[in-house]
């Protein structure tokens, strides 16, 4: 006899319990939006004072939660989030409790703070905000007394993240900088391993106008006695990293010298990799992410975790299991079929070039329409130029951020790159998506299917929400 037959009221009680839980979740989501709007009303991530002293004071009041766990710290221009996600999944596969702090988020701020592979729930995020906020108010008051602005959005969010990791507690946190490195809010950690993904020109207003200046700021996350795992870099960037490592007694591992992608092959749903690190050669490891750049991100993550776990060769079975389970939302992510809709967060020329290359390698899209929104503080023209060879048409629009460039102004730039006959413009993202889908379906003579070598063959829409 079933439990429901034994107790006729059990089903009703469970239903009532589920209804209460759903109501509580809905209320938490509403509260989350209210709290998020309050936090984001502070100075945004792109408008801040380049100093770490303010956030150090907050962490001092919080009891220095950043010292409660070990850390892998990541900086660079492109590839940080994907590299961090691979590293986190690999560490977790080795039985360690993990925290992951990345930015920006796609749909909810809770995505940025992940514990043991799961983003914080709305209720947990609100609990942590309630715990941290009294200390934020103390620091705000101290700053006001000296004529300084209150703590920024990202400074507060870093406090919430590190409090979450310390309270869990996690064994290791994989932490992506918000911007730069030396004075980034996350640089209160003393990371045993620092990862530097490819450094390119971006955020010049804050980081500097040359690669040397930008690399100098980013190299600030390298701490005394740490291990640095660096992507292949331009010579001027490599020299900055070498000098920093030498100055603080850090060990420098360089892609192309100490580790490399020995081989890669496009496969259905991703790629097969042979990866060489200082300790081992890992062969035929499947990674369910598209693009050569993701192979190099995975290499950095593997090298970082290998160094973090003592420099020994890792169990190949664990590496395979971790890599096969990796996700990186918003990074050439297929979100719809018939027609194919891909989402990518390329936000500078280097990222757009990697996107364009990956599209040609992994997909066979007969008529690709790009839906593009770009932040107003970005150098849009080189980004558009990088996308031009792979897009049949482009629809420029704006995203949900207040920083989003005006579509009319963006269209003027796009017209010079694409020509008027390939250009469309709308004010709203949902309208832009519909325009793109209509254009694709009008010209789709291929249909839906899988081509040879793992390449997807169909018409498609690519969304670059930069």
């Amino acid at each position: 006899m079933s439990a429901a037959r034994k107790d006729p009221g059990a089903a009703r009680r469970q239903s009532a319990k589920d209804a209460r839980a759903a109501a509580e979740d809905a209320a938490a989501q509403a509260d989350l939006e209210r709290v998020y709007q309050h936090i984001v009303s502070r100075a945004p991530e792109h408008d801040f004072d380049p100093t770490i002293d303010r956030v150090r004071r907050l962490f001092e009041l919080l009891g220095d939660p950043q010292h409660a766990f070990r850390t892998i710290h990541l900086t660079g221009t492109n590839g940080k989030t994907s590299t961090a996600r691979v590293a986190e999944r690999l560490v977790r596969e080795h039985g360690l409790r993990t925290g992951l702090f990345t930015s920006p988020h796609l749909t909810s701020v809770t995505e940025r703070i992940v514990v043991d592979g799961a983003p914080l729930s709305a209720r947990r995020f609100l609990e942590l905000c309630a715990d941290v906020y009294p200390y934020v108010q103390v620091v705000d008051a101290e700053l006001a007394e000296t004529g300084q602005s209150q703590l920024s959005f990202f400074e507060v969010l870093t406090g919430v993240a590190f409090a979450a990791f310390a309270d869990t507690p996690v064994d290791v946190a994989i932490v992506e900088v918000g911007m730069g490195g030396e004075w980034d809010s996350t640089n209160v950690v003393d990371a045993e391993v620092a990862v530097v993904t490819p450094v390119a020109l971006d955020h010049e207003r804050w980081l500097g106008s040359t690669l040397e200046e930008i690399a100098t700021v980013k190299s600030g996350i390298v701490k005394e006695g740490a291990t640095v795992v660096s992507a292949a870099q331009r010579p001027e960037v490599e020299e900055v990293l070498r000098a920093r490592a030498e100055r603080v007694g850090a060990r420098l591992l360089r892609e192309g010298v100490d580790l490399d992608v020995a081989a890669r092959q496009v496969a259905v749903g991703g790629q097969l990799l042979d990866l060489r690190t200082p300790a081992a050669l890992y062969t035929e490891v499947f990674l369910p992410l598209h693009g050569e750049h993701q192979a190099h991100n995975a290499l950095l993550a593997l090298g970082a975790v290998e160094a973090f776990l003592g420099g020994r060769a890792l169990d190949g079975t664990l590496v395979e299991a971790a890599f096969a389970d990796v996700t990186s939302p918003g990074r050439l992510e297929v979100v719809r079929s018939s027609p194919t809709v891909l989402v990518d967060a390329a936000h500078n020329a280097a990222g757009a070039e990697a996107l364009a290359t990956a599209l040609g390698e992994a997909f066979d899209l007969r008529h690709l329409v790009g839906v593009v929104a770009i932040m107003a503080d970005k150098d849009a023209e080189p980004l558009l130029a990088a996308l031009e060879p792979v897009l049949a048409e482009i629809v420029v629009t704006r995203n949900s951020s207040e920083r989003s460039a005006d579509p009319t102004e963006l269209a003027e730039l796009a017209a010079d790159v694409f020509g008027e006959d390939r250009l469309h413009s709308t004010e709203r993202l949902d309208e832009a998506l519909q325009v793109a889908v209509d254009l694709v379906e009008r010209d789709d003579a291929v249909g839906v299917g899988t081509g040879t070598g793992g390449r997807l063959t169909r018409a498609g829409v690519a969304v670059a929400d930069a």
Side-chain angles (χ1 to χ4, degrees):
M1 184 178 293
S2 69
R5 292 281 299 279
K6 290 179 181 178
D7 182 0
R12 290 194 298 273
R13 289 194 296 273
Q14 183 61 47
S15 178
K17 181 179 179 181
D18 291 344
R20 285 195 301 273
E24 290 171 357
D25 287 342
Q29 286 295 335
D31 287 343
L32 174 64
E33 180 59 25
R34 175 182 55 79
V35 169
Y36 174 66
Q37 290 302 326
H38 177 71
I39 298 175
V40 84
S41 69
R42 294 168 169 270
E45 291 167 277
H46 67 287
D47 184 11
F48 53 87
D49 294 323
T51 175
I52 202 170
D53 293 337
R54 298 151 49 94
V55 78
R56 281 195 191 280
R57 175 57 177 154
L58 173 62
F59 282 110
E60 179 185 344
L61 294 174
L62 288 171
D64 286 324
Q66 73 276 18
H67 298 323
F69 45 83
R70 301 167 66 192
T71 309
I72 298 173
H73 205 180
L74 298 96
T75 189
T77 302
N78 292 305
K80 296 186 296 296
T81 299
S82 293
T83 304
R85 285 181 172 276
V86 177
E88 184 277 334
R89 186 62 190 86
L90 188 52
V91 169
R92 184 155 41 95
E93 191 66 27
H94 282 78
L96 298 175
R97 300 203 71 181
T98 60
L100 175 67
F101 186 40
T102 60
S103 61
H105 59 272
L106 296 177
T107 59
S108 172
V109 68
T110 58
E111 299 167 19
R112 300 184 181 216
I113 307 172
V114 175
V115 174
D116 285 338
L120 294 185
S121 68
R123 277 186 273 184
R124 181 58 179 147
F125 184 87
L126 292 170
E127 290 172 357
L128 289 160
C129 285
D131 290 342
V132 169
Y133 216 72
Y135 303 100
V136 170
Q137 292 176 309
V138 170
V139 178
D140 283 347
E142 293 176 352
L143 292 170
E145 289 177 359
T146 59
Q148 299 181 62
S149 62
Q150 63 183 359
L151 289 170
S152 71
F153 164 79
F154 191 71
E155 287 171 327
V156 172
L157 194 62
T158 304
V160 173
F162 289 3
F165 298 158
D167 190 60
T168 297
V170 303
D171 298 308
V172 55
I174 295 85
V175 176
E176 174 188 338
V177 302
M179 185 186 297
E182 179 183 359
W183 34 254
D184 187 76
S185 300
T186 64
N187 204 30
V188 295
V189 300
D190 290 319
E192 299 170 43
V193 178
V195 179
V196 185
T197 67
V199 174
L201 291 175
D202 197 17
H203 301 301
E204 291 98 323
R205 173 182 167 188
W206 300 277
L207 303 181
S209 59
T210 68
L211 287 177
E212 292 95 331
E213 291 173 335
I214 294 172
T216 298
V217 175
K218 292 181 183 294
S219 69
I221 73 166
V222 179
K223 303 299 174 59
E224 185 174 350
T227 297
V228 190
V229 181
S230 174
Q233 306 284 3
R234 293 279 296 273
E236 55 268 48
V237 174
E238 185 172 312
E239 176 57 28
V240 169
L241 296 178
R242 186 202 60 75
R244 172 69 180 184
E246 186 175 297
R247 188 160 58 250
V248 300
R251 179 190 183 203
L252 177 60
L253 301 177
R254 297 172 294 165
E255 182 179 4
V257 177
D258 305 289
L259 62 166
D260 57 47
V261 177
R264 60 183 293 272
Q265 178 182 343
V266 176
V268 176
Q271 52 193 306
L272 282 175
L273 307 176
D274 290 356
L275 303 175
R276 183 182 65 84
T277 67
L281 174 65
Y282 304 85
T283 60
E284 296 188 345
V285 181
F286 177 70
L287 179 72
L289 302 176
H290 298 292
E292 182 178 0
H293 60 291
Q294 294 289 17
H296 294 280
N297 292 338
L299 173 69
L300 295 181
L302 180 59
V305 173
E306 194 178 81
F308 180 81
L309 295 177
R312 58 180 173 82
L314 305 182
D315 185 315
T317 302
L318 297 181
V319 173
E320 290 176 358
F323 273 40
D325 193 45
V326 166
T327 61
S328 195
R331 276 71 181 175
L332 207 51
E333 178 185 12
V334 180
V335 297
R336 171 181 161 174
S337 60
S338 191
T340 300
V341 177
L342 307 163
V343 177
D344 194 85
H347 61 278
N348 51 44
E353 289 167 2
L355 167 61
T357 300
L359 283 168
E361 176 185 84
F363 301 89
D364 186 13
L365 301 170
R366 283 279 299 275
H367 193 90
L368 182 61
V369 179
V371 176
V372 179
I374 301 175
M375 299 300 187
D377 58 340
K378 296 289 185 180
D379 188 359
E381 190 167 1
L383 191 155
L384 293 169
L387 295 175
E388 188 275 332
V390 297
L391 298 182
E393 300 177 75
I394 185 172
V395 186
V396 297
T397 185
R398 70 168 78 243
N399 58 31
S400 59
S401 172
E402 294 180 356
R403 294 168 54 202
S404 188
D406 181 89
T408 302
E409 296 177 2
L410 188 57
E412 292 178 2
L413 287 173
D416 292 336
V417 177
F418 287 84
E420 294 286 353
D421 58 329
R422 298 164 61 195
L423 172 65
H424 310 268
S425 176
T426 70
E427 275 291 323
R428 290 172 37 179
L429 181 58
D430 57 346
E431 295 173 349
L433 285 168
Q434 189 58 57
V435 169
V437 168
D438 291 345
L439 289 169
V440 163
E441 291 181 338
R442 178 196 67 192
D443 293 315
D444 182 13
V446 181
V448 178
T450 302
T452 60
R455 287 162 58 88
L456 298 179
T457 59
R458 61 191 77 176
V461 177
V463 181
D465 196 8

